[in-house]
């Protein structure tokens, strides 16, 4: 839903503006990369102006994406370490749960026949009473 809203509100008007700029700027221009000799053919190129506009937009989008990705590196690292810690604690919790289930099953098993019902206080206490 949010992605569709972003597409409608931001990307559609941006695309319309870029198309209008491209149609309006179809004349050929020369981009010279040598500021001391602009007529140098080795460091210059000619193309319609909208090509340079689109390239500038793409380069700006790529640089912004890389800057955002680098800026969020600490958050990605923290998320990785916390995910690893969560997996460790989850494994430990599973081990403790299994251990608790084993202890509970051994406490309720019929093999432990020695209990309070076989040796009561009446039989133990009678042997120590003085006889009259």
């Amino acid at each position: 839903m949010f992605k569709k809203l972003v597409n409608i509100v931001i990307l559609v008007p941006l695309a319309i503006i870029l198309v209008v700029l491209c149609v309006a700027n179809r004349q050929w221009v020369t981009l010279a990369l040598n500021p001391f000799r602009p007529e140098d053919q080795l460091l210059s190129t000619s193309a319609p102006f909208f090509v340079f506009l689109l390239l500038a937009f793409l380069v700006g989008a790529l640089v912004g994406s890389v800057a955002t990705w680098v800026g969020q590196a600490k958050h990605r690292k923290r998320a990785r370490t916390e995910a690893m810690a969560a997996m460790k604690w989850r494994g430990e919790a599973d081990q403790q749960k299994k251990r608790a289930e084993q202890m509970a099953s051994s406490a309720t098993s019929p093999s432990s026949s020695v209990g309070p019902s076989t040796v009561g206080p009446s039989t133990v206490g009678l042997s120590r009473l003085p006889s009259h």
Side-chain angles (χ1 to χ4, degrees):
M1 178 68 183
F2 182 71
K3 189 174 181 179
K4 187 177 268 189
L5 183 67
V6 168
N7 285 338
I8 292 171
V9 172
I10 295 174
L11 296 179
V12 170
L14 186 62
I16 291 170
I17 291 170
L18 281 175
V19 168
V20 168
L21 283 174
C22 290
V23 170
N25 294 295
R26 291 179 288 169
Q27 64 274 15
W28 281 75
V29 293
T30 300
L31 175 67
L33 298 175
N34 187 353
F36 302 112
R37 288 187 41 201
E39 66 277 351
D40 185 12
Q41 295 294 321
L42 186 62
L43 294 174
S44 64
T45 184
S46 294
F49 187 62
F50 73 86
V51 171
F52 296 121
L53 286 174
L54 289 177
L55 285 175
F57 175 75
L58 289 175
V59 168
L62 288 174
V63 168
S65 297
V66 169
T68 301
W69 184 74
V70 169
Q72 294 175 349
K74 62 182 175 182
H75 301 294
R76 287 191 311 275
K77 182 178 180 181
R78 182 177 176 195
R80 276 192 308 270
T81 57
E82 288 182 1
M84 289 172 52
M87 288 174 46
K88 175 187 161 200
W89 287 112
R90 186 176 294 130
E92 191 170 319
D94 289 342
Q95 287 177 351
Q96 293 296 329
K97 184 178 178 183
K98 287 178 186 176
R99 184 171 170 226
E101 289 172 352
Q102 288 174 353
M103 290 174 67
S105 66
S106 67
T108 58
S109 67
S111 64
S112 61
S113 60
V114 178
S117 62
T118 58
V119 179
S122 61
T123 59
V124 174
L126 289 177
S127 64
R128 292 188 186 171
L129 288 175
S131 42
H132 289 242

